Amino acid sequence: MRKQAFDVLDPRCPTQQVLDRVAGKWTMLVILALSEDARRYADLQRRVKGVTKKVLTQTLRTLERDGLVERRVFHTVPVQTEYALTELGRSLAGAVTAIRTWAYDNMDDIAGARRRYDGGPSA
């Protein structure tokens, strides 16, 4: 399929599936954590605070299926697993990092807008 054929605003466009995946909260947080370095599962769970084991496992499997994350198994006792971004995942990490930076830079303005909208005290 040629890139010109894509229209993300069309619900039949496959790019909506991609956006659904990469815009998810846990996906973005896992991508950010792995952009720092490859991580073992337990380390990743500690780094991505609040994620359950079930959700982290589902997120990692989905990212691996989509070619964004690779899983390495070390045949030790006990078996250890490490996750790292693929080249495709690293290209996404740049966009996710930009969104994080934008959020950090604009959080005060967003909080003020919410207070104004909700009728709270002025910022």
Side-chain angles (χ1 to χ4, degrees):
M1 190 177 255
R2 292 185 358 241
K3 288 183 181 182
Q4 294 83 356
F6 295 132
D7 178 4
V8 74
L9 298 178
D10 182 340
R12 297 167 297 175
C13 184
T15 57
Q16 283 199 4
Q17 292 175 0
V18 173
L19 285 178
D20 243 6
R21 173 86 62 244
V22 301
K25 171 185 174 180
W26 298 117
T27 294
M28 294 185 105
L29 296 177
V30 167
I31 294 290
L32 283 170
L34 291 175
S35 71
E36 299 166 351
D37 202 3
R39 294 181 183 274
R40 299 235 164 111
Y41 183 89
D43 184 35
L44 193 54
Q45 189 176 24
R46 281 189 297 275
R47 183 71 180 111
V48 182
K49 296 170 181 67
V51 69
T52 65
K53 287 182 180 185
K54 177 183 177 183
V55 170
L56 179 57
T57 298
Q58 289 172 339
T59 301
L60 287 167
R61 285 182 182 160
T62 301
L63 292 173
E64 186 179 7
R65 179 176 182 248
D66 289 346
L68 300 169
V69 166
E70 64 182 355
R71 180 173 57 109
R72 296 184 200 124
V73 177
F74 298 92
H75 299 287
T76 57
V77 178
V79 173
Q80 295 187 353
T81 307
E82 181 180 81
Y83 296 88
L85 294 178
T86 62
E87 186 176 331
L88 185 61
R90 285 189 298 276
S91 71
L92 175 60
V96 174
T97 298
I99 291 169
R100 175 184 59 184
T101 300
W102 181 89
Y104 287 171
D105 291 347
N106 292 285
M107 206 55 238
D108 289 341
D109 292 335
I110 292 168
R114 288 176 178 173
R115 282 192 300 276
R116 287 187 299 280
Y117 183 88
D118 294 341
S122 297

